[in-house]
Amino acid sequence: MRLKLLAFAMVILAFAGLNAIRLHVPVEHHYASSSSLLPAAIGTFHLLSHRNTDAGEVVGTYSDGSTTILLDVRPDSREFPHNGAQCFLLAGERPLKEEAQVVRIARGTAVFDIALFGSGADTKLVASTECYADKCAENPLTGFWHAPDSQPVVRIARPTYMVPVAILIDGHAQTGEGAEATGPDLIHYFEEFAAQLDLGRFEAIAARSS
């Protein structure tokens, strides 16, 4: 399970590095330790490991004993938005489903762009949002994927400071009953994790940077 999760994480991190190179954006790292940004526990989920990447990401692996989830934060993104699904799009994958949804979090709600890639036990979920000083919200990747007209579109004035956040779940990386999870399972795991996630610390970073 750990090897499969590591492989999934490496795909995300590799394409994040390619994005930084492609955009020629210098990254200033203000977080010497990822442990200063990531909470030791998010409700019933506990931090198993964490790392900083050359692309300016802070990545934590969380588990509640049966469900394993990656939390990917870009505290130094500043004015550069990032949707986690871009990593898969750049790899040539297309989502089976993508939808911007209002999601319940620990304090209030946030808009996440939720994308499912693959099928069956190979399904992967990427849920992305961008935290601003007063809210966390994300638009679907309409430039790559034409979503239904009924989807909510978040009106965000740019440029402004933000902290992109992505939640990544691999169907193969689960250890509970029915370990090889499918799309509906991953959405359930995401909602369970998000309901315990306090995004206020990331809004505070955006507010300090503004």
Side-chain angles (χ1 to χ4, degrees), residues 39-162:
I42 297 174
T44 57
F45 289 82
H46 295 274
L47 183 63
L48 301 181
S49 63
H50 53 82
R51 60 172 296 186
N52 294 64
T53 76
D54 292 338
E57 293 168 293
V58 178
V59 184
T61 301
Y62 287 86
S63 177
D64 66 354
S66 62
T67 304
T68 303
I69 291 175
L70 294 181
L71 178 63
D72 184 317
V73 183
R74 293 171 172 250
D76 295 315
S77 183
R78 302 297 175 135
E79 296 177 4
F80 297 98
H82 178 76
N83 186 316
Q86 288 174 330
C87 301
F88 290 89
L89 292 166
L90 289 172
E93 297 191 46
R94 288 293 180 269
L96 295 176
K97 179 181 180 181
E98 184 194 8
E99 185 175 7
Q101 296 183 13
V102 177
V103 176
R104 183 171 62 89
I105 56 175
R107 293 193 300 168
T109 60
V111 177
F112 279 84
D113 182 36
I114 304 169
L116 290 172
F117 294 85
S119 61
D122 293 322
T123 304
K124 298 174 179 63
L125 178 146
V126 184
S128 305
T129 192
E130 290 165 355
C131 288
Y132 300 81
D134 61 343
K135 63 184 174 184
C136 293
E138 179 66 277
N139 282 310
L141 288 171
T142 52
F144 294 94
W145 179 258
H146 298 289
D149 293 336
S150 60
Q151 283 197 23
V153 177
V154 183
R155 304 300 179 186
I156 298 173
R158 301 178 191 251
T160 186
Y161 289 102
M162 70 196 74

